């Protein structure tokens, strides 16, 4: 089968409807200039990496003029600005995304082709910017793309981690972590801004002065900003992601110098700079380490000083500090907190207003609440941040005082509404008194924000009914839903050019910014010609992924088999174990009757486990061990394979999503806040097997439940079972197939050289399973049998695929951001283009 190359398809896509900014010869000239003058200089020969950097700089040249123009435009118009605060941004690569959003991909492709270079080979040299763990960090990246595409005056703020999420290596069937030295060769997209370096204070003590409280004897660390351009799609808008890097002050520990220990004083500068050294690799788990607290405050303190500076200085082209009062702060500033990680922005903004700007307390607090809004991302208790008061008192003594005062006034209001309800006071307090005194950061966020949102309808309802029930009773008007979304530029146009072409041929190409137009495809769902075209693209994508897997693992997979994929962080609540139990069940069925007809499957599981999460690492080891057994059994042959995909990351996801047939979204109902991988699979033509959890519920609403394979307990069933008492043995005894699977795991069938290796996994399933795997096993297997049956009816399967693609318009992050803008931030999105730099405004 001849597979049209990605670059041929990409040329067609990026040229359609978009005028190339510069012609091919000018791109060639710019590229050669960068090779000779910027990079190679006195060397005689250029390496492939030199060519990559020359290409990145050539593309960046097209960005910079638009970037400057956009920022000037904001400065002159002085709109309300949106500040998105996140400890994580899982950006992936920037080169191809930038070319697509600027509309120059076809031109650049052609220029490099004429120079005898393969653009795809150069793209492979770019490091992923892995400054996030999973969903929360990738969501932030999609939001940045949408905020720029919708013309919002928005700024992302975060930390420039020197080491991002670890690289995962599978050695002897187990996860090993390697540091992600992503800046090793430099980052062509960032621009250091030392002129905006900002001091951040830690430790010290608080003294009373006639002018008020003063925080003194602090240790200072400087925050150095690095700006990263965020281009909107085809609108000449380029916003900024500003990431802070920790720098030691020049005189750090110079007192050592006076005692002669100059070398030690210099070495100790590392201690300050460690703040931005490494991303904490936990997803949905709180680890109360002081360094993490310092990271969180470092980002908030630097960002808020920057926000206040810009608020004071930005007014219709005037260069003096034109604003000296703060009553208009909420008309000019919206701060969105991505989970509780930036919660210290609330007491920090309060501190700046009352201690430094001398705003009266009540006025200052009202300003804080009007500016701030909080997005909750999880209901898992182990993920909620609860900082020990003793640690806060040591690291941030003034903030601890302010939190106590906020709590005092807040509890007075609660007492006024519910006199004598002491249990409610305890539940609603920002300070948890049981055991070690702790600050509940989620409660702080709710009290200090004017809007609180969950990230899917079911999740927002659960928040109001459980975690924040008391707060919802007090302030029902604060609570909203904003169902997550994904950017269709990266997750369809960039990663699946073949499908993008097909869609544009049918409905035009406005869907890239108005994804709801995909519903226009519904009329072709039963059309045999369109079905064939959709399946041809899917087959091409499967062949590409199959060759990538064979290259990386040596395992040859059957590209005609169903690609059954579960890629996400490894966590008990996501139930990768349920998937593995199904694989073992299929294996046992083949062994019982090797001649029985079955739809061949390649099951792929991928994802990282937090380094300290023992059971998650065991799940990876079990997947690898089961894969070893299944993949090498001659009775099985091509019918079944289990592949563990090493080092799952954004760039690998861009290859997987277009090639998947079946998407596994099988978390216990009520545990996955939303999920966004589910949306990427749906948009790229995979069918979903899933529980009624997170955004799966809304996907089923949009496409119709008959177009997904929904199974398992609903939230109310889970609650009823937990109330009744879950006994795994009931299910174990009742189902012989299940019993066989667990006994094989327990007895060492998959680990003959170490028979006890997975006994703990079996023990968890039978005795300590918070996520009720066995209760959903029977329905899951039945749903999987239905999947197999439908897969063997290609017309029916493809009709469902097209219905899913056509129903995925709601799940664009453009829709999500438009809702945040109108309903939380008080700004209006625009689809108008800014003039290009070479046009007269």
């Amino acid at each position: 089968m001849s597979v049209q190359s990605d670059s041929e398809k990409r040329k067609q896509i990026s040229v359609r409807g978009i005028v190339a900014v510069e012609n091919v010869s000018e791109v060639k000239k710019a590229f050669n200039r960068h090779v000779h003058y910027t990079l190679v200089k006195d060397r005689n020969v250029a390496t492939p990496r030199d060519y990559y950097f020359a290409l990145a700089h050539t593309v960046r040249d097209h960005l910079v003029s638009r970037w400057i123009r956009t920022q000037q435009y904001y400065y002159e118009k002085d709109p309300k600005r949106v500040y998105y605060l996140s400890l994580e941004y899982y950006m992936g690569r920037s080169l191809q995304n930038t070319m697509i959003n600027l509309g120059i991909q076809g031109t650049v492709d052609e220029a490099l082709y004429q120079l005898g270079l393969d653009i795809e080979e150069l793209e492979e040299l770019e490091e992923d910017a892995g400054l996030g763990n999973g969903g929360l960090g990738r969501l932030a990246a999609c939001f940045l793309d949408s905020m720029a595409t919708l013309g919002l005056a928005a700024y992302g703020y975060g930390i420039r981690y020197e080491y991002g999420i670890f690289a995962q290596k599978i050695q002897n069937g187990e996860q090993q972590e390697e540091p992600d030295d992503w800046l090793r060769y430099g980052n062509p997209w960032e621009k250091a801004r030392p002129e905006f370096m900002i001091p951040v204070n830690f430790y010290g003590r608080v003294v009373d002065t006639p002018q008020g409280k003063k925080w003194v004897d602090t240790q200072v660390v400087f925050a150095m900003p690095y700006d990263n351009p965020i281009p909107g799609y085809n609108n000449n808008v380029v916003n900024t992601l500003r990431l802070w890097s920790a720098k030691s002050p020049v005189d750090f520990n110079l007192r050592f110098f006076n005692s002669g220990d100059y070398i030690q004083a210099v070495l100790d500068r590392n201690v300050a700079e460690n703040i931005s050294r490494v991303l904490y690799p936990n997803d949905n788990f709180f680890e109360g380490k002081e360094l993490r607290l310092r990271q969180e405050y470092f980002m908030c303190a630097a960002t808020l000083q920057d926000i206040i500076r810009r608020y004071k200085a930005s007014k219709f082209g005037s260069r003096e500090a034109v604003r000296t009062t703060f009553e208009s702060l909420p008309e000019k500033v919206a701060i969105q907190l991505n989970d509780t990680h930036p919660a210290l922005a609330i007491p920090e903004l309060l501190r700046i207003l009352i201690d430094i700007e001398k705003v009266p307390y009540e006025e200052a607090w009202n300003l804080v609440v009007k500016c701030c809004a909080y997005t909750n991302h999880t209901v898992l208790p182990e993920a909620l941040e609860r900082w020990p008061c003793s640690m806060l008192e040591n690291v941030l003594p003034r903030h601890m005082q302010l939190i106590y005062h906020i709590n005092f006034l807040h509890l007075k209001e609660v007492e006024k509404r519910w006199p004598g309800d002491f249990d409610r006071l305890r539940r609603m307090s920002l300070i948890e008194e049981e055991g070690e005194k702790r600050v509940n950061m989620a409660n702080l966020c709710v009290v200090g924000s004017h809007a609180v949102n969950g990230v899917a309808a079911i999740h927002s309802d659960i928040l109001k009914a459980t975690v924040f029930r008391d707060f919802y009773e007090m302030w029902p008007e604060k609570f909203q839903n904003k169902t997550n979304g994904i950017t269709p530029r990266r997750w369809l146009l960039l990663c699946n050019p073949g499908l993008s072409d097909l869609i544009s041929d049918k409905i035009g190409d406005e869907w890239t910014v108005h994804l709801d137009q995909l519903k226009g495809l519904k009329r072709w769902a039963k059309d045999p010609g369109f079905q064939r075209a959709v399946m041809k693209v899917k087959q091409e994508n499967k062949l590409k992924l199959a060759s990538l897997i064979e290259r990386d693992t040596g395992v040859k997979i059957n590209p005609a088999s169903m690609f059954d994929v579960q890629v996400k962080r490894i966590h008990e609540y996501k139930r990768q174990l349920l998937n593995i139990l199904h694989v073992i069940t299929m294996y046992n069925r083949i062994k019982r009757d090797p001649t029985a007809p079955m739809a061949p499957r390649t099951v792929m599981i991928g994802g990282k486990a937090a380094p300290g999460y023992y059971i998650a690492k065991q799940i990876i080891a079990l997947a690898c061990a089961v894969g070893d057994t299944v993949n090498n059994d001659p009775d099985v042959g091509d019918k079944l394979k289990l592949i563990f995909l090493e080092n799952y990351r954004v760039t690998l996801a861009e290859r997987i999503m277009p090639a998947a047939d079946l998407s596994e979204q099988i978390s216990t109902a009520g545990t996955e806040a939303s999920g966004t991988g589910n949306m990427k699979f749906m948009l790229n033509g995979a069918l979903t097997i899933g529980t009624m959890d997170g955004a799966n519920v809304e996907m089923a609403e949009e496409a119709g439940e008959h177009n997904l394979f929904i199974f398992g307990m609903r939230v109310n069933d889970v609650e009823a079972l937990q109330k009744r008492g879950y006994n795994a043995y009931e299910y174990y005894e009742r189902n012989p197939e299940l019993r066989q699977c667990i006994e094989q795991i327990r007895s060492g069938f998959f680990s003959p050289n170490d028979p006890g290796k997975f006994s703990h996994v079996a023990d968890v399933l039978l005795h300590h399973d918070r996520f009720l795997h066995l209760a959903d096993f029977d329905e899951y297997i039945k749903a999987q049998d239905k999947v197999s049956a439908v897969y063997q009816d290609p017309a029916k399967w493809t009709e469902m695929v097209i219905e899913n693609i056509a129903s995925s318009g709601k799940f664009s992050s453009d829709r999500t951001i438009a809702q945040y803008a109108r309903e939380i931030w008080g700004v209006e999105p625009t689809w108008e283009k800014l003039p290009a730099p070479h046009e007269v405004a």
Side-chain angles (χ1 to χ4, degrees):
M1 177 185 292
S2 76
V3 178
Q4 189 183 17
S5 88
D6 267 357
S7 68
E8 284 166 20
K9 282 181 183 155
R10 285 166 13 188
K11 253 175 259 178
Q12 293 167 14
I13 281 172
S14 68
V15 169
R16 174 188 280 120
I18 303 171
V19 178
V21 177
E22 284 186 6
N23 64 29
V24 171
S25 68
E26 284 173 323
V27 170
K28 283 159 69 178
K29 261 187 266 180
F31 179 83
N32 280 323
R33 192 174 65 245
H34 280 299
V35 171
H36 292 298
Y37 299 111
T38 317
L39 298 161
V40 181
K41 295 188 184 87
D42 53 356
R43 279 189 284 131
N44 291 328
V45 64
T47 65
R49 183 160 275 105
D50 290 323
Y51 290 136
Y52 160 69
F53 275 97
L55 174 56
H57 285 115
T58 303
V59 171
R60 195 180 71 171
D61 293 342
H62 292 261
L63 266 179
V64 169
S65 48
R66 288 169 174 72
W67 199 3
I68 293 167
R69 184 81 167 261
T70 303
Q71 300 311 312
Q72 279 175 338
Y73 176 81
Y74 294 158
Y75 190 81
E76 287 157 16
K77 292 279 189 269
D78 193 29
K80 182 171 185 177
R81 288 167 164 88
V82 173
Y83 295 103
Y84 196 82
L85 274 61
S86 180
L87 265 279
E88 301 187 20
Y89 291 92
Y90 206 167
M91 302 296 287
R93 291 173 176 167
S94 291
L95 175 59
Q96 198 186 343
N97 185 248
T98 302
M99 292 191 295
I100 284 175
N101 280 13
L102 294 183
I104 61 173
Q105 193 176 22
T107 309
V108 175
D109 257 354
E110 181 59 31
L112 287 183
Y113 175 74
Q114 290 182 17
L115 290 167
L117 293 167
D118 182 341
I119 192 167
E120 288 172 43
E121 279 180 22
L122 299 188
E123 286 168 350
E124 285 301 305
L125 292 169
E126 181 174 5
E127 300 279 350
D128 270 45
L131 306 185
N133 277 286
L136 175 146
R138 183 53 234 173
L139 184 81
C142 284
F143 279 5
L144 293 177
D145 182 87
S146 286
M147 289 188 282
T149 297
L150 296 190
L152 302 183
Y155 301 75
Y157 277 95
I159 293 177
R160 180 182 180 265
Y161 300 107
E162 208 173 301
Y163 294 89
I165 186 63
F166 60 86
Q168 180 192 57
K169 290 275 184 281
I170 302 297
Q171 286 170 354
N172 302 320
E174 302 201 337
Q175 171 178 296
Q176 306 293 331
E177 301 87 29
E178 289 184 356
D180 168 43
D181 191 5
W182 73 289
L183 293 168
R184 178 173 54 239
Y185 300 109
N187 175 4
W189 305 106
E190 69 185 8
K191 174 80 181 81
R193 305 298 301 273
E195 68 274 26
F196 291 117
M197 195 142 73
I198 286 174
V200 175
N201 296 285
F202 293 97
Y203 306 109
R205 58 199 175 87
V206 182
V207 295
D208 287 296
T209 72
Q211 290 75 42
K213 302 276 188 188
K214 198 162 183 211
W215 186 14
V216 298
D217 297 340
T218 58
Q219 289 183 21
V220 177
V221 177
F222 283 103
M224 162 90 87
Y226 285 80
D227 286 354
N228 298 263
I230 306 292
Y233 179 72
N234 194 28
N235 65 354
N236 296 316
V237 170
V238 182
N239 283 345
T240 302
L241 168 61
R242 177 162 284 183
L243 300 177
W244 300 105
S245 182
K247 293 288 285 180
S248 177
V250 173
D251 62 353
F252 183 80
N253 273 353
L254 215 64
R255 61 182 180 277
F256 282 132
F257 179 50
N258 300 328
S259 65
D261 205 346
Y262 162 71
I263 296 293
Q264 194 56 48
V266 173
L267 297 182
D268 283 349
R269 294 167 60 85
N270 273 331
V271 176
E273 295 177 359
N274 277 339
I275 288 174
S276 57
R277 195 79 67 202
V278 61
L279 168 75
Y280 271 85
N282 299 316
D283 187 72
N284 277 303
F285 183 79
F286 171 58
E287 185 175 7
K289 294 279 197 289
E290 188 179 302
L291 177 60
R292 171 67 171 193
L293 178 66
R294 284 165 59 211
Q295 286 182 340
E296 292 181 354
Y297 178 66
F298 173 76
M299 193 275 281
C300 292
T303 299
L304 281 160
Q305 287 181 70
D306 219 31
I307 290 172
I308 298 293
R309 173 192 59 75
R310 199 177 283 113
Y311 166 78
K312 286 178 169 182
S314 185
K315 183 94 185 288
F316 295 104
S318 166
R319 297 226 166 259
E320 302 87 59
V322 295
R323 288 201 184 94
T324 51
T325 62
F326 286 87
E327 60 266 26
S328 59
L329 192 69
E331 280 75 66
K332 291 296 173 186
V333 169
I335 296 169
Q336 190 68 36
L337 308 177
N338 193 26
D339 214 321
T340 57
H341 313 147
L344 288 164
I346 290 167
E348 173 64 7
L349 179 54
L350 186 63
R351 183 189 73 82
I352 291 170
L353 291 173
I354 61 182
D355 289 0
I356 295 166
E357 302 295 344
K358 306 301 178 192
V359 177
Y361 183 92
E362 196 175 343
E363 186 188 334
W365 178 247
N366 287 333
L367 293 173
V368 169
V369 174
K370 284 179 181 164
C371 288
C372 292
Y374 158 55
T375 302
N376 173 279
H377 283 272
T378 184
V379 295
L380 293 180
E382 64 266 36
L384 298 176
E385 292 195 295
R386 298 176 162 93
W387 289 106
C389 293
S390 57
M391 189 186 291
L392 275 165
E393 278 158 6
N394 178 40
V395 179
L396 300 168
R398 180 63 180 131
H399 299 76
M400 192 65 248
Q401 287 183 347
L402 288 168
I403 290 167
Y404 280 134
H405 192 61
I406 293 165
N407 195 42
F408 170 73
L409 296 176
H410 159 61
L411 291 181
K412 264 173 59 174
E413 290 298 308
V414 175
E415 170 69 25
K416 210 184 291 178
R417 281 280 299 274
W418 291 280
D421 190 343
F422 298 113
D423 201 46
R424 184 182 291 265
L425 284 172
R426 179 190 60 75
R427 293 193 308 267
M428 294 184 75
S429 176
L430 309 189
I431 311 295
E432 296 179 352
E433 306 275 358
E434 304 88 51
E436 185 180 16
K437 266 175 49 169
R438 292 173 176 268
V439 180
N440 182 312
M441 303 308 272
N443 289 4
L444 173 62
C445 285
V446 175
V447 171
S449 299
H450 70 279
V452 177
N453 72 279
V455 290
I458 187 175
H459 171 232
S460 297
D461 288 343
I462 289 168
L463 288 179
K464 293 187 290 193
T466 60
V467 189
F468 297 138
R469 179 178 180 171
D470 296 313
F471 295 94
Y472 177 61
E473 287 174 4
M474 187 160 183
W475 296 300
E477 71 285 354
K478 277 192 187 191
F479 287 81
Q480 302 190 18
N481 173 244
K482 297 284 170 280
T483 299
N484 283 163
I486 56 171
T487 170
R489 272 74 61 181
R490 184 176 293 266
W491 296 113
L492 186 48
L493 194 59
L494 180 155
C495 73
N496 201 341
L499 183 57
S500 300
D501 263 357
L502 273 187
I503 292 168
S504 295
D505 287 343
K506 288 294 185 194
I507 62 169
D509 48 25
E510 278 186 14
W511 60 265
T512 48
V513 282
H514 300 288
L515 199 65
D516 53 331
Q517 291 185 9
L518 290 183
K519 60 180 177 286
L521 294 172
K522 280 180 188 276
R523 53 190 280 218
W524 285 288
K526 287 184 159 74
D527 179 272
F530 190 57
Q531 286 188 355
R532 275 194 303 276
V534 168
M535 280 296 109
K536 180 171 181 283
V537 166
K538 178 64 75 178
Q539 198 54 40
E540 288 172 358
N541 291 332
K542 287 172 74 171
L543 284 165
K544 278 185 205 143
L545 183 61
S547 69
L548 184 80
I549 288 169
E550 191 176 348
R551 188 194 77 195
D552 291 351
T553 68
V555 178
K556 198 168 176 55
I557 59 180
N558 173 10
S561 66
M562 182 201 309
F563 283 14
D564 170 349
V565 187
Q566 186 178 25
V567 284
K568 52 187 73 226
R569 284 297 288 253
I570 309 295
H571 200 298
E572 290 160 277
Y573 86 83
K574 295 178 186 283
R575 297 204 297 192
Q576 283 92 354
L577 274 175
L578 192 55
N579 191 352
I580 294 168
L581 288 172
H582 173 240
V583 174
I584 298 172
T585 302
M586 285 192 291
Y587 173 71
N588 289 335
R589 287 177 178 180
I590 293 168
K591 292 299 281 182
R592 272 199 302 278
D593 183 0
T595 60
M598 72 170 282
R601 273 197 205 221
T602 302
V603 179
M604 302 176 203
I605 298 177
K608 292 174 182 176
Y613 189 175
Y614 172 74
I615 190 71
K617 289 183 136 180
Q618 284 280 97
I619 291 167
I620 292 174
L622 178 62
C624 293
V626 172
D628 273 349
T629 303
V630 171
N631 302 348
N632 294 302
D633 190 319
D635 288 344
V636 175
D638 257 2
K639 292 179 187 168
L640 181 62
K641 291 271 186 280
L642 172 55
I643 313 285
F644 188 85
L645 298 166
E646 183 179 79
N647 202 29
Y648 179 61
R649 58 201 185 284
V650 174
T651 295
L652 188 54
E654 291 165 8
R655 308 270 164 71
I656 292 166
M657 303 296 171
D661 291 308
L662 186 68
S663 158
E664 300 264 357
Q665 308 298 333
I666 57 179
S667 52
T668 314
T671 61
E672 186 74 88
S674 166
T676 45
N678 46 3
M679 302 167 187
K680 293 163 197 170
F681 282 115
M682 183 186 194
L683 183 60
N684 282 279
L687 300 187
T688 302
I689 184 165
T691 50
M692 277 299 205
D693 198 21
N696 296 356
V697 176
E698 289 158 85
M699 286 162 51
E701 261 170 36
E702 294 295 301
E705 215 175 301
H706 59 286
N707 283 313
L708 287 80
F709 300 97
I710 296 294
F711 74 94
M713 295 177 289
R714 310 301 207 249
V715 169
N716 55 338
D717 300 318
V718 169
E719 284 168 0
L721 177 56
Q722 284 168 335
K723 200 179 244 176
R724 198 165 71 240
Y726 169 63
N727 177 8
Y729 270 98
E730 277 178 36
Y731 305 93
Y732 171 85
E733 297 293 353
R734 197 185 304 159
N735 188 322
E737 283 196 308
L738 173 58
R739 193 160 63 244
Q740 183 185 2
C741 294
I742 290 177
E743 284 316 307
Q744 286 168 309
I745 292 169
R746 199 209 313 254
S747 69
F749 180 86
F750 300 107
S751 53
N753 298 328
D754 183 359
K757 183 170 184 178
F758 300 118
S759 57
H760 181 67
V761 175
D763 196 47
V764 167
L765 285 172
L766 290 172
H767 302 288
H768 315 287
D769 181 10
R770 292 166 55 202
F771 301 107
L772 316 175
H773 290 72
L774 274 48
D776 272 342
F777 175 83
D778 203 32
E779 270 213 49
Y780 179 54
I781 299 299
K782 284 178 184 152
Q784 287 284 20
D785 291 342
K786 189 177 170 196
V787 169
S788 292
V790 178
Y791 191 73
Q792 289 171 300
D793 179 352
K796 176 65 181 158
W797 183 274
T798 312
E799 181 189 338
M800 290 172 71
V801 163
I802 295 165
E803 288 284 354
N804 270 269
I805 296 167
S807 304
S808 57
K810 173 179 179 175
F811 304 106
S812 170
S813 48
D814 297 346
R815 185 266 316 151
T816 312
I817 288 300
Q819 290 180 331
Y820 275 98
R822 292 175 174 135
E823 296 163 26
I824 295 180
W825 303 331
V827 292
E828 190 57 32
T830 174
W831 283 265
E832 281 175 30
K833 259 176 128 158
L834 282 186
H838 53 275
E839 293 172 15
V840 178

